[in-house]
């Protein structure tokens, strides 16, 4: 059940504290159990599993990010969440600076660095807003951000900040949601938006329809979710050089109602991957080969890479 007192109604513009409230609630619901018992050894194993899962999924964290070339590079992760991606890059020798708007998430990222100890010396996490990054111009070799900038009020301003803090010739690797996708048009727009009437009740119907994870009851509403066409991505990254983007991530389980049945069958048939635990708080149901194939054509994620002009 969606909280009727939640912000982002037809008239309100969500505030930063609405955004923090949602992501804090997701963190507490989905991750606390997994993260609270984490030891150094368990974290190292979880990072290996995460890398294995990303390799299988051809995720941008192991494709657009060349892990073998990260050692010594200064990498900023914007919206590090619970810190799984940052910990993986740090383990490969990146000098990580990680930030997140939500304090508990920045703190959990820092705790993962602390657990890794001298192996990741110099890596730091802090609370910061993507739209107003507290870093000098031309500071980082790489800026990485997975599924974050479409949840903030001013995505163009956040991309301008990413450009500013990147060194000339530096690289961005960013995931934003894709409008030209099955998930958007069928699951969200048609089923939840039109058939269930969500789009007539709230300007933020896409936020209502997406982002809750775990099996417990939904206790907060996601204030902002946006998605973009390929043309919009080209416009948003126009200042950058060598722009490339591809689609990925297709999920039958997001089909309302039927998706739950599919997910049960999928887990029985293909199993789960333990690499999901550190980033979703639970093992990741393995894609069928069909979903993998469809992801490249109709997926819900754009994996974007580009360089700052020299
Ligand atoms: C879907 S989660 C992604 C977390 C992580 N990147 C991952 O892939 O696991 C979105 C994250 O974006 C963060 N976020 C939202 N708006 C932000 C902003 N303006 N600046 C920094 N982080 C933000 C939230 O706190 C949340 O941790």
């Amino acid at each position: 059940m969606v909280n009727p007192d939640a912000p982002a109604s037809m008239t309100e513009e969500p505030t930063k504290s609405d955004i923090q409230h949602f992501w804090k609630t997701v963190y507490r619901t989905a991750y606390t159990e997994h993260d609270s018992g984490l030891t150094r050894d368990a974290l190292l194993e979880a990072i290996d599993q995460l890398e294995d899962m990303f390799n299988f999924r051809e995720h941008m964290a192991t494709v657009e990010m060349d892990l073998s070339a990260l050692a010594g590079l200064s990498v900023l992760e914007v919206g590090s969440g619970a810190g799984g991606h940052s910990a993986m890059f740090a383990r490969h020798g990146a000098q990580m600076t990680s930030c997140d708007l939500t304090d508990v998430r920045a703190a959990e990222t820092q705790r993962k660095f602390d657990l890794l100890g001298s192996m990741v010396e110099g890596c730091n996490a802090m609370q910061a807003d993507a739209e107003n990054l507290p870093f000098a111009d031309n500071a980082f070799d790489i800026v990485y951000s997975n599924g974050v900038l479409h949840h903030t009020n001013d995505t163009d301003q956040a991309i301008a900040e990413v450009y500013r803090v990147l060194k000339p010739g530096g690289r961005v690797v960013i995931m934003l949601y894709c409008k030209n996708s099955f998930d958007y048009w069928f699951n969200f727009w048609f089923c939840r938006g039109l058939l269930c009437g969500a789009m007539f009740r709230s300007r933020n119907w896409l936020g209502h329809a997406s982002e809750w994870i775990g099996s417990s009851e939904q206790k907060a509403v996601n204030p902002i979710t946006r998605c973009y066409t390929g043309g919009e991505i080209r416009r948003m990254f126009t200042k950058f050089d060598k722009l490339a983007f591809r689609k990925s991530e297709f999920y039958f389980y997001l089909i309302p109602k039927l998706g739950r049945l599919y997910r049960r069958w999928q887990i029985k048939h293909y199993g789960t991957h333990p690499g999901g635990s550190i980033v979703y708080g639970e093992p990741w149901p393995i894609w069928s080969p069909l979903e993998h194939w469809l992801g490249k054509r109709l997926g819900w994620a754009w994996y974007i890479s580009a360089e700052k002009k020299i």
Side-chain angles (χ1 to χ4, degrees), residues 64 140-143 159 162-174 236-245 304-310:
E64 276 77 358
F140 297 98
D141 294 304
I142 299 177
V143 179
I159 292 173
V162 165
Y163 190 87
R164 181 184 67 74
V165 301
L166 205 56
K167 290 180 185 170
R171 205 148 180 265
V172 283
V173 176
I174 291 181
M236 291 158 85
F237 288 85
T238 190
K239 274 183 95 176
F240 291 80
D241 251 352
K242 300 186 186 168
L243 174 66
F245 49 100
I304 303 158
S305 63
E307 289 181 14
K308 180 168 174 173
K309 288 182 181 154
I310 298 181

Side-chain angles (χ1 to χ4, degrees), residues 16 19-20 22-24 26-27 31 54 59 77-85 99-103 105-106 127-133 144-154 158 175 177 211 278-280:
K16 287 281 153 60
I19 297 172
Q20 287 166 326
F22 174 73
W23 292 108
K24 196 179 273 197
V26 173
Y27 182 78
Y31 295 88
F54 281 156
H59 192 280
E77 181 174 11
V78 180
S80 57
H85 299 235
C99 66
D100 199 287
L101 185 68
T102 310
D103 57 357
R105 293 185 158 230
Q127 183 180 23
D129 181 358
E131 293 173 40
N132 185 18
L133 292 171
Y144 175 89
S145 185
N146 183 58
V148 174
L149 304 184
H150 46 229
H151 294 307
T152 195
N153 304 73
D154 189 343
M175 187 277 264
Y177 286 148
E211 299 306 321
I278 190 174
V279 283
Y280 309 123

Side-chain angles (χ1 to χ4, degrees), residues 18-301:
D18 296 332
I19 297 172
Q20 287 166 326
H21 171 72
F22 174 73
W23 292 108
K24 196 179 273 197
T25 310
V26 173
Y27 182 78
R28 296 221 162 105
T29 311
Y31 295 88
T32 312
E33 198 182 325
H34 176 267
D35 284 349
S36 57
L38 211 56
T39 60
R40 185 173 189 275
D41 287 345
L43 176 57
L44 286 169
E45 192 184 347
I47 294 172
D48 284 345
Q49 290 166 340
L50 180 67
E51 189 175 327
D52 188 65
M53 180 186 79
F54 281 156
N55 279 328
F56 170 76
R57 288 171 54 175
E58 298 169 21
H59 192 280
M60 65 175 196
T62 53
V63 176
E64 276 77 358
M65 293 292 280
D66 179 359
L67 299 183
S68 66
L70 282 186
L73 296 184
S74 56
V75 178
L76 170 67
E77 181 174 11
V78 180
S80 57
H85 299 235
S86 279
M88 183 178 80
F89 301 143
R91 197 177 178 197
H92 281 273
Q95 281 296 303
M96 290 304 302
T97 302
S98 308
C99 66
D100 199 287
L101 185 68
T102 310
D103 57 357
V104 286
R105 293 185 158 230
E108 183 50 41
T109 303
Q110 182 61 50
R111 197 170 75 91
K112 291 196 169 79
F113 291 150
D114 294 343
L115 279 172
L116 294 173
S118 57
M119 181 189 270
V120 302
E121 211 176 314
C123 295
N124 288 303
M126 67 198 70
Q127 183 180 23
D129 181 358
E131 293 173 40
N132 185 18
L133 292 171
F135 310 113
D137 299 355
N138 309 322
F140 297 98
D141 294 304
I142 299 177
V143 179
Y144 175 89
S145 185
N146 183 58
V148 174
L149 304 184
H150 46 229
H151 294 307
T152 195
N153 304 73
D154 189 343
T155 302
D156 285 335
Q157 167 63 17
I159 292 173
E161 278 293 86
V162 165
Y163 190 87
R164 181 184 67 74
V165 301
L166 205 56
K167 290 180 185 170
R171 205 148 180 265
V172 283
V173 176
I174 291 181
M175 187 277 264
L176 295 175
Y177 286 148
C178 173
K179 196 165 191 174
N180 320 104
S181 61
F182 176 86
D183 281 324
Y184 177 73
W185 285 110
F186 186 73
N187 299 338
F188 298 138
W189 191 89
F190 181 67
C191 293
R192 302 217 189 176
L194 195 65
L195 289 187
C196 303
M199 66 175 65
F200 307 113
R201 289 193 292 272
S202 172
R203 187 180 59 178
N204 175 40
W205 63 272
L206 188 56
H208 283 237
S210 61
E211 299 306 321
W212 191 253
I213 58 173
S215 50
S216 53
E217 191 186 319
Q218 182 155 3
K219 297 189 201 78
V221 169
N222 174 20
I224 303 174
T225 294
R226 293 193 202 90
C227 58
Y228 303 96
T229 63
E232 286 167 324
I233 296 292
R234 267 184 220 99
R235 178 197 59 75
M236 291 158 85
F237 288 85
T238 190
K239 274 183 95 176
F240 291 80
D241 251 352
K242 300 186 186 168
L243 174 66
F245 49 100
R246 65 186 172 99
K247 288 183 194 177
S248 185
E249 307 196 15
F250 184 96
Y251 301 104
F252 280 127
Y253 87 87
L254 289 175
I255 298 174
K257 308 234 187 298
L258 280 180
R260 278 197 207 158
L261 293 176
Y262 174 81
R263 195 174 173 95
R264 259 184 254 149
W265 176 86
Q266 177 190 12
I267 290 175
K268 228 171 151 181
H269 203 77
Y270 296 103
T272 57
H273 194 295
S277 301
I278 190 174
V279 283
Y280 309 123
E282 61 185 7
W284 177 75
I286 293 173
W287 274 328
S288 62
L290 177 63
E291 283 175 295
H292 206 135
W293 185 85
L294 285 170
K296 293 177 187 170
R297 284 143 188 96
L298 298 170
W300 173 227

